[in-house]
Amino acid sequence: GQQVMQIPQYQHVQEGEDFTTYCNSSTTLSNIQWYKQRPGGHPVFLIQLVKSGEVKKQKRLTFQFGEAKKNSSLHITATQTTDVGTYFCAGPNNYGQNFVFGPGTRLSVLP
Amino acid sequence: DTGVSQNPRHKITKRGQNVTFRCDPISEHNRLYWYRQTLGQGPEFLTYFQNEAQLEKSRLLSDRFSAERPKGSFSTLEIQRTEQGDSAMYLCASSFLAGVPYEQYFGPGTRLTVT
């Protein structure tokens, strides 16, 4: 079946350092979504990427969709303590009716 | 607050008991999803509805699990004869088909502990 993987599993950074998480799918994706889940919270939608090679920015966050539409990345510039949480990527299943979530990358930011 | 709500927020039950969870989606959303999340993992899809029709069920959903969405509004997820392996966070999400495709709004979840 379809698999969505993310690396790294955990990342500890000093406040102000950059952070990147990578997402890889076993199949080509029509689109990919990113979610953030704060400790004790629920996933919150961040963005959706649709086009091959697409790059989108949200303030300090940069999202990229690979040319082959099988991988994606999220880069945070100059992390802040408010960035703490787990970042999930999610891609549609083979039928395109629901999403398969990756295992997430848990980010810790040391002040 | 017009977000997705779930009740109860916490449920402790003994093995073998039945439990039912409720989800109230954002009112204009026609799609409703149920996920299960265990510690350190991403949400695992269980089932989803478009309006009142249940369109897909995961293989994870054994015959002990059943979900309904009467009249296309709120939804319930029932687990019969609970097992310790059912202990998890059960998340509900809703989306509006005509909006950002499949952008899902999650509720706060119901944490189930089976003793």
Side-chain angles (χ1 to χ4, degrees):
Chain A
Q2 180 185 8
Q3 291 187 331
V4 176
M5 304 304 297
Q6 287 184 253
I7 54 170
Q9 186 177 3
Y10 302 97
Q11 185 79 56
H12 304 279
V13 300
Q14 204 74 35
E15 189 172 20
E17 291 181 339
D18 292 356
F19 159 76
T20 304
T21 174
Y22 300 91
C23 174
N24 291 285
S25 170
S26 59
T27 59
T28 301
L29 301 170
S30 58
N31 60 81
I32 194 161
Q33 294 185 347
W34 285 91
Y35 291 79
K36 176 184 178 182
Q37 186 172 23
R38 288 200 164 100
H42 55 274
V44 174
F45 175 84
L46 294 176
I47 206 161
Q48 176 169 273
L49 304 172
V50 178
K51 298 177 183 177
S52 170
E54 187 171 15
V55 177
K56 286 189 175 180
K57 292 189 176 184
Q58 290 180 350
K59 296 182 180 179
R60 296 178 294 105
L61 277 61
T62 302
F63 303 84
Q64 186 166 5
F65 201 8
E67 294 289 342
K69 302 183 76 173
K70 293 184 72 173
N71 57 74
S72 181
S73 65
L74 159 59
H75 179 82
I76 302 178
T77 304
T79 54
Q80 299 175 359
T81 55
T82 53
D83 296 324
V84 164
T86 302
Y87 292 85
F88 295 100
C89 63
N93 73 352
N94 294 335
Y95 308 104
Q97 299 300 320
N98 68 75
F99 279 77
V100 177
F101 281 75
T105 296
R106 182 184 295 180
L107 173 64
S108 297
V109 180
L110 304 174
Chain B
D1 190 315
T2 57
V4 178
S5 62
Q6 292 186 247
N7 288 288
R9 295 291 305 276
H10 304 273
K11 179 69 176 180
I12 299 174
T13 191
K14 292 184 178 180
R15 188 178 57 183
Q17 297 294 306
N18 300 342
V19 294
T20 300
F21 310 140
R22 175 176 170 130
C23 171
D24 287 89
I26 294 172
S27 58
E28 63 267 27
H29 284 185
N30 50 11
R31 285 201 168 187
L32 187 148
Y33 305 80
W34 284 100
Y35 292 89
R36 181 173 67 188
Q37 187 176 30
T38 53
L39 196 62
Q41 299 298 316
E44 293 178 296
F45 169 78
L46 294 178
T47 189
Y48 93 98
F49 294 82
Q50 183 162 314
N51 299 315
E52 66 275 8
Q54 187 174 17
L55 296 186
E56 190 174 346
K57 293 171 62 174
S58 166
R59 289 189 300 273
L60 294 173
L61 217 63
S62 75
D63 56 6
R64 296 185 298 107
F65 289 70
S66 63
E68 294 182 341
R69 192 184 182 196
K71 302 180 182 179
S73 54
F74 71 92
S75 176
T76 58
L77 177 69
E78 180 183 16
I79 309 174
Q80 295 182 328
R81 304 181 303 282
T82 52
E83 302 172 356
Q84 287 187 323
D86 297 331
S87 295
M89 177 72 83
Y90 289 83
L91 293 165
C92 174
S94 69
S95 69
F96 184 49
L97 190 55
V100 174
Y102 309 114
E103 174 184 354
Q104 296 177 59
Y105 293 80
F106 282 83
T110 294
R111 182 169 295 282
L112 173 65
T113 302
V114 182
T115 61

